[in-house]
Amino acid sequence: DQQVKQNSPSLSVQEGRISILNCDYTNSMFDYFLWYKKYPAEGPTFLISISSIKDKNEDGRFTVFLNKSAKHLSLHIVPSQPGDSAVYFCAASSRDYKLSFGAGTTVTVRA
Amino acid sequence: KAGVTQTPRYLIKTRGQQVTLSCSPISGHRSVSWYQQTPGQGLQFLFEYFSETQRNKGNFPGRFSGRQFSNSRSEMNVSTLELGDSALYLCASSAGTALAAGELFFGEGSRLTVL
């Protein structure tokens, strides 16, 4: 069963605007959350993470928000740039040496 | 320093055959994980090794197996290939010293096509 869900398979946004990617999870044991970015023919690369003891983490243009009561997290990219066009995966970790990934959201930034 | 290296990058097999994929982690990393990526399914966890010991295994049939060597290099094997095994197989490495899987460093993957 899919414990991490990204319900939007795709997102199109104009350059300079905000991209908001959403992710929901079902396992209350998850205590660490990450976002990965993947370009075609490359492996995923780590983008940003957040611990369950926080509700926000910011790194440059990227901010991740965590709402534990709703079991929901989101990634904000401001401003969106053409190089941000990629597949974004949400991932979550409990203390079992593995990550559970969502199905991914394909972001297209239009010029 | 060199990243995670996976070989081969592409391969084509027929049903019933077996395949072995190789992964060399980042120098100094002792944890190696394997994930299967298929369209619409995201990355599905296969197994994780640390110092030659499997610490966790995903919900895949016994046809999927792996091992890790003393130099931290890892291999995964899929026997009796089925059409549904066609996927991108990703290897990731990390220091692996924490219970919780943190930032993983991924290779470029091995693209397996089963005909």
Side-chain angles (χ1 to χ4, degrees), chain B residues 2-111:
Chain B
V4 177
T5 304
Q6 291 187 245
T7 57
R9 289 290 312 280
Y10 303 92
L11 65 167
I12 299 173
K13 293 285 187 178
T14 57
R15 280 180 299 174
Q17 287 187 310
Q18 67 92 27
V19 66
T20 299
L21 308 178
S22 179
C23 173
S24 293
I26 291 172
S27 177
H29 284 184
R30 294 164 64 188
S31 168
V32 173
S33 305
W34 289 89
Y35 290 82
Q36 180 196 63
Q37 185 189 2
T38 53
Q41 292 294 315
L43 282 69
Q44 302 293 316
F45 174 74
L46 282 155
F47 21 67
E48 189 264 359
Y49 290 89
F50 181 84
S51 293
E52 302 179 70
T53 299
Q54 185 182 91
R55 296 194 296 190
N56 200 351
K57 187 178 189 300
N59 296 322
F60 280 82
R63 300 185 297 106
F64 291 80
S65 62
R67 59 179 175 169
Q68 187 181 34
F69 302 96
S70 58
N71 61 358
S72 294
R73 191 178 69 85
S74 177
E75 289 181 347
M76 68 162 282
N77 184 277
V78 188
S79 62
T80 319
L81 285 167
E82 300 177 358
L83 294 178
D85 297 334
S86 295
L88 180 67
Y89 290 88
L90 290 160
C91 169
S93 78
S94 71
T97 52
L99 282 171
E103 180 183 346
L104 301 181
F105 296 84
F106 283 88
E108 294 179 318
S110 294
R111 170 75 63 186

